[in-house]
Amino acid sequence: MSDLRELYQEVIFDHYKTPRNCHVLDCANHQADGYNPLCGDQVTVYLKVENGVIEDLSFKGTGCAISTASASLMTEALKGKKIAEVEHLFEDFHQMVTAPDTTPHPELGKLEALAGVREFPARVKCATLAWHTLQAALKNQKKQISTE
Ligand code: ZN
């Protein structure tokens, strides 16, 4: 288990140091801003949705390693996904970072790197900020969303 944990930390560190899809998406037709006042994490999520499919997505923001890595991993995981699948993945992801049990979630792929967050309840909002912001973007919510 400790080897696995090291690997997970490596994934988080890698995505924090070199975030994927971290830029403004000029062709975006959905976007929203999110803020986690507990930690000071800020993120803007950009989406290009066509026919119910996320054709492209990106994010810009400043925050801690967990929030940045989570946003980066999320953009990688959701490109090309149907909106319906996204809802399902978010449910699984949310369960993974909040549930006390350690049931594996193979459908989450690399997102499982964030499973360790469940041991740090204060960081759950860091890990889910990008996802909440994504949901707001899908609803074209103009007001900045806050985890509080
Ligand atoms: Zn944070």
Side-chain angles (χ1 to χ4, degrees):
M1 188 62 203
S2 68
D3 284 355
L4 202 59
R5 185 162 300 177
E6 261 170 47
L7 176 74
Y8 283 174
Q9 284 174 351
E10 213 170 280
V11 171
I12 291 171
F13 189 71
D14 176 42
H15 278 261
Y16 173 51
K17 284 286 161 208
T18 318
R20 318 302 196 269
N21 307 304
C22 183
H23 54 83
V24 175
L25 191 66
D26 288 330
C27 61
N29 51 14
H30 294 261
Q31 77 176 70
D33 301 314
Y35 178 50
N36 172 20
L38 270 189
C39 182
D41 309 316
Q42 266 180 309
V43 71
T44 303
V45 172
Y46 303 89
L47 300 168
K48 181 172 189 270
V49 180
E50 293 291 343
N51 302 316
V53 173
I54 298 183
E55 290 208 330
D56 205 356
L57 74 166
S58 69
F59 78 101
K60 279 290 265 185
T62 52
C64 66
I66 299 291
S67 70
T68 304
S70 177
S72 173
L73 283 159
M74 181 187 81
T75 58
E76 269 202 330
L78 298 186
K79 200 175 276 193
K81 288 276 194 298
K82 293 194 182 99
I83 304 298
E85 290 175 90
V86 171
E87 295 285 328
H88 190 71
L89 275 173
F90 181 41
E91 269 171 41
D92 288 351
F93 180 78
H94 198 263
Q95 197 198 4
M96 178 184 78
V97 294
T98 53
D101 71 79
T102 51
T103 315
H105 288 275
E107 75 284 3
L108 291 174
K110 270 199 198 169
L111 292 167
E112 272 214 287
L114 290 155
V117 167
R118 69 162 73 88
E119 289 168 42
F120 306 92
R123 312 308 298 276
V124 168
K125 284 172 178 166
C126 302
T128 54
L129 175 65
W131 289 83
H132 286 298
T133 309
L134 172 98
Q135 286 198 314
L138 285 172
K139 292 174 194 152
N140 273 330
Q141 205 172 302
K142 293 280 185 286
K143 197 168 156 275
Q144 182 189 60
I145 70 121
S146 171
T147 54
E148 288 302 294

